[in-house]
Amino acid sequence: MKPILSFIIPCYNSASTLGETLVSVANQHFEDWEALIVNDGSPDHVEEIGLQWVEKDSRFKYFKKVNGGLGSARNYGLEKAEGKYIVPLDSDNLITPDFAHKAIAILDSDERIGVVYGNAEYFGEREGLWNVGKFDKLKMLRHNYIDACAMIRKSLFDETGGYEEKLPFQGHEDWDFWLRVMQTHYKFYYLPVVTFQYRVTKSSMI
């Protein structure tokens, strides 16, 4: 049977953090998931870590592709994903144990909801709460304030065409995608709890 949920985890130079990210996936209270580890041509030992997890738990799946950037890696994962719902998860962040079952309950209850997102907790070189707040169309038009780590209907990616791969700046893939979601009939749903932990380092894309 196909899993209900697919985590898509692009990896590039993330061997030092990937294991911790995968532990957070394995610790989900919800169990009907798959996790697609997408090695985007990483020069470090991401492959070794990914294959170790595949060996431990068949719900983890490992893929390797030529480097194409974040949008390309996510789209590659989307092509392979079998879940009804998708969570894009960066390979240095941590998902909270109860996010999956909370978000799935919301999506199952209302087909008009396309995206469920929540707050984040910073860790690493910064601490504190990232209080995202309710969806605000005008705010989103000004700048992206919602991280990629949300639960999204896979059908929404099919409708919008996934992530743009040729933007001039990495990190704008999420913003571009949210703007296209706003043009559909789907709604954003804000879950006012911490749904993931956001690692901040000197090399963080943000």
Side-chain angles (χ1 to χ4, degrees):
M1 291 181 61
K2 293 182 178 180
I4 292 175
L5 172 62
S6 298
F7 291 95
I8 296 178
I9 308 168
C11 303
Y12 187 82
N13 275 341
S14 51
S16 63
T17 61
L18 178 59
E20 196 174 357
T21 298
L22 300 183
V23 167
S24 76
V25 173
N27 287 341
Q28 285 296 293
H29 297 160
F30 180 83
E31 296 184 351
D32 191 5
W33 53 262
E34 64 175 356
L36 284 66
I37 304 163
V38 181
N39 180 347
D40 189 34
S42 184
D44 59 7
H45 60 287
V46 156
E47 180 167 82
E48 179 184 344
I49 297 168
L51 293 176
Q52 287 173 353
W53 278 86
V54 170
E55 185 77 16
K56 287 193 290 186
D57 189 331
S58 62
R59 292 176 297 178
F60 289 96
K61 301 173 182 179
Y62 174 79
F63 301 93
K64 186 175 183 177
K65 61 181 286 296
V66 174
N67 178 256
L70 183 58
S72 171
R74 286 184 182 158
N75 286 338
Y76 184 94
L78 284 167
E79 291 176 2
K80 305 293 184 182
E82 297 185 329
K84 179 180 180 181
Y85 304 127
I86 303 292
V87 173
L89 178 62
D90 290 343
S91 56
D92 57 352
N93 293 337
L94 312 176
I95 197 83
T96 55
D98 57 353
F99 175 50
H101 82 260
K102 286 182 177 179
I104 287 171
I106 292 166
L107 288 165
D108 283 348
S109 70
D110 189 344
E111 292 187 356
R112 296 171 299 174
I113 297 171
V115 179
V116 177
Y117 69 96
N119 297 326
E121 183 179 18
Y122 294 111
F123 74 110
E125 296 183 12
R126 177 178 176 181
E127 295 182 351
L129 177 67
W130 177 358
N131 190 1
V132 180
K134 291 184 178 181
F135 183 73
D136 185 324
K137 184 176 182 178
L138 292 178
K139 186 176 180 180
M140 181 60 73
L141 289 171
R142 289 193 294 268
H143 66 92
N144 183 25
Y145 69 99
I146 299 177
D147 190 82
C149 188
M151 190 173 293
I152 307 159
R153 291 186 188 274
K154 190 170 190 289
S155 59
L156 188 46
F157 288 105
D158 297 335
E159 185 173 332
T160 59
Y163 291 98
E164 174 58 56
E165 299 182 14
K166 296 180 180 179
L167 292 173
F169 300 105
Q170 277 211 83
H172 286 181
E173 297 88 353
D174 302 337
W175 191 13
D176 173 78
F177 177 67
W178 297 141
L179 291 174
R180 282 184 284 122
V181 171
M182 285 167 51
Q183 298 177 54
T184 71
H185 70 281
Y186 287 107
K187 300 188 298 183
F188 289 77
Y189 185 100
Y190 169 56
L191 196 59
V193 297
V194 172
T195 57
F196 75 105
Q197 292 177 281
Y198 188 97
R199 188 190 304 268
V200 178
T201 66
K202 291 178 181 177
S203 60
S204 294
M205 187 178 293
I206 195 169

